[in-house]
Amino acid sequence: MRIKGLLMIALLAIVGVFLVFTTPVLAKDKVITWKMAGVWGPGDGAYPPETCAKEITENSGGKLKVNVYPGGQLYGSQEIFGALQKGLIQMCEIPLGYWGGAVPVYKVGEIPFLIRDNKDFKAYLDAGLYNLWEKAGEKVGLKLLGVTGWNDLQCYSRFPIRTLDDVKGRKWRVYTPPMAEAVRALGASPVSMGAPEVYQAMQRGVVDACFGGVTWGYSFKWHEVGPHVVKMDFAMPPTCVFANKKAFDALPEDLKKVVINAGKNYANWDIIEGFTKKKYEQFKEAGSDIYILPEDERNKLMKKCKPIWDKVAGDIGPEGKEALEIYYKLFPERR
């Protein structure tokens, strides 16, 4: 019995030594798995989050693996906010306009005719808008990692639009209150409906025109029923990549750096320019009438909608007014 006892003690000692030396290794090699949800369909606008997730997985040496679920596979556009806040997912890519109700300053991108192009938008972000959005997200448990613009909302119309007079009297599909106000200011009638309903509505003449990015327009085939594609740069509802702040803060410092760098690389403006250019080429191949609204005509539309700028900023509150002041400091001639 004494020999058995000594053997048991020796065995326990060996096991103890094994655990002491192997536990740190096992903990160090533990893989953290994140879920990243998105609303774009795979192979279309979903390629930026797929690239972002791949970069994180590879540059972390596999220590942080990000699985992507595009096209609303896990949650719809309105559900993703709550899922990210609660930690049900750890990352997401989302058009920022969807979250304007929860974080009002995110409505800045919806202000009609405020942003002319991606060059304007990038300068605006660098001048302070990004920091404003970042702080607002942290207040509700979000970590903003990257922002990118899709060259503004363009017009898809059943009829040619060349001047302000061509807009008057038309029925226009809208999906936000500022957009509805802008359409009224231009002399048209707003009709609210979801994106999936637009194709049939335009086909039947329920609406004459709609706004949308080039990715949405091509994905939903709006150019088939609205063959007059007018580049008027109506608004800039950006697309952003976020992380759950608690999940991000829990990462070791080396993995935080990997995630931060991937977020910066996600906002690759050159890729976006090339992607949107390709979409315009596809519109042309499909027989669409591509028209770039001249600057003087766009200015006429902008002047009609300019009173809405202060209204939207006022509805947002102090952060909205701060965002507008950042804009005017950057573009004083537009005040």
Side-chain angles (χ1 to χ4, degrees):
M1 292 295 291
R2 184 179 178 185
I3 294 174
K4 286 184 178 180
L6 291 172
L7 288 173
M8 182 60 72
I9 291 171
L11 180 62
L12 290 172
I14 292 170
V15 170
V17 170
F18 175 79
L19 290 174
V20 167
F21 284 100
T22 60
T23 299
V25 175
L26 292 174
K28 183 179 179 181
D29 293 339
K30 181 182 178 183
V31 175
I32 301 170
T33 303
W34 278 10
K35 294 178 181 178
M36 183 179 190
V39 295
W40 303 112
D44 186 35
Y47 77 84
E50 288 168 358
T51 303
C52 184
K54 183 179 179 182
E55 180 180 337
I56 292 172
T57 302
E58 291 180 350
N59 290 353
S60 69
K63 290 189 290 185
L64 176 55
K65 183 179 181 182
V66 182
N67 296 319
V68 182
Y69 299 87
Q73 290 179 25
L74 292 182
Y75 301 99
S77 57
Q78 302 299 332
E79 302 168 315
I80 287 180
F81 183 87
L84 187 65
Q85 263 194 325
K86 295 173 184 176
L88 301 176
I89 54 175
Q90 292 73 40
M91 287 185 73
C92 78
E93 192 210 33
I94 193 81
L96 204 59
Y98 285 130
W99 289 359
V103 187
V105 73
Y106 289 168
K107 294 179 182 178
V108 170
E110 300 175 7
I111 297 178
F113 299 107
L114 185 74
I115 305 296
R116 295 174 185 268
D117 51 33
N118 274 348
K119 183 180 178 182
D120 266 18
F121 183 42
K122 190 174 185 303
Y124 192 13
L125 288 169
D126 293 342
L129 182 62
Y130 187 95
N131 291 338
L132 196 60
W133 281 350
E134 187 177 36
K135 291 176 183 177
E138 289 180 353
K139 291 177 183 178
V140 292
L142 309 180
K143 176 67 177 177
L144 179 62
L145 299 173
V147 179
T148 190
W150 287 88
N151 285 294
D152 297 328
L153 297 182
Q154 312 306 343
C155 170
Y156 301 84
S157 175
R158 295 172 65 234
F159 304 95
I161 294 178
R162 302 292 184 262
T163 67
L164 178 60
D165 289 337
D166 295 329
V167 176
K168 294 176 180 178
R170 300 294 185 191
K171 292 171 290 184
W172 219 293
R173 177 257 174 170
V174 301
Y175 57 90
T176 68
M179 186 179 286
E181 289 186 37
V183 165
R184 291 191 191 95
L186 298 177
S189 300
V191 181
S192 181
M193 66 176 66
E197 305 170 64
V198 174
Y199 187 98
Q200 194 174 63
M202 290 186 71
Q203 191 176 44
R204 295 180 175 180
V206 176
V207 294
D208 298 312
C210 68
F211 291 116
V214 293
T215 52
W216 281 13
Y218 193 82
S219 298
F220 286 111
K221 301 183 186 298
W222 290 342
H223 60 290
E224 292 181 355
V225 288
H228 302 280
V229 181
V230 186
K231 189 179 186 305
M232 60 172 61
D233 303 318
F234 174 79
M236 175 58 79
T239 302
C240 302
V241 62
F242 287 90
N244 172 279
K245 191 173 185 301
K246 286 184 179 179
F248 175 82
D249 289 343
L251 293 174
E253 291 303 317
D254 61 330
L255 294 187
K256 284 181 181 178
K257 291 178 181 178
V258 169
V259 173
I260 291 293
N261 287 335
K264 290 178 180 177
N265 293 336
Y266 158 85
N268 191 316
W269 298 85
D270 291 336
I271 289 178
I272 299 303
E273 290 291 340
F275 190 78
T276 52
K277 182 179 179 181
K278 181 180 178 180
K279 289 302 175 185
Y280 276 114
E281 290 171 353
Q282 290 175 317
F283 287 146
K284 289 180 181 178
E285 290 171 4
S288 298
D289 164 38
I290 309 295
Y291 183 74
I292 300 174
L293 199 69
E295 190 69 10
D296 60 337
E297 285 298 330
R298 187 185 183 278
N299 285 337
K300 291 177 184 177
L301 302 182
M302 183 189 73
K303 288 177 181 178
K304 287 285 184 179
C305 295
K306 202 165 183 300
I308 300 172
W309 296 9
D310 288 329
K311 185 179 186 306
V312 173
D315 290 343
I316 291 171
E319 289 176 330
K321 294 177 181 178
E322 184 179 349
L324 205 54
E325 279 307 308
I326 292 171
Y327 177 85
Y328 284 135
K329 286 181 182 178
L330 184 63
F331 305 110
E333 73 282 0
R334 301 179 192 176
R335 185 181 288 272

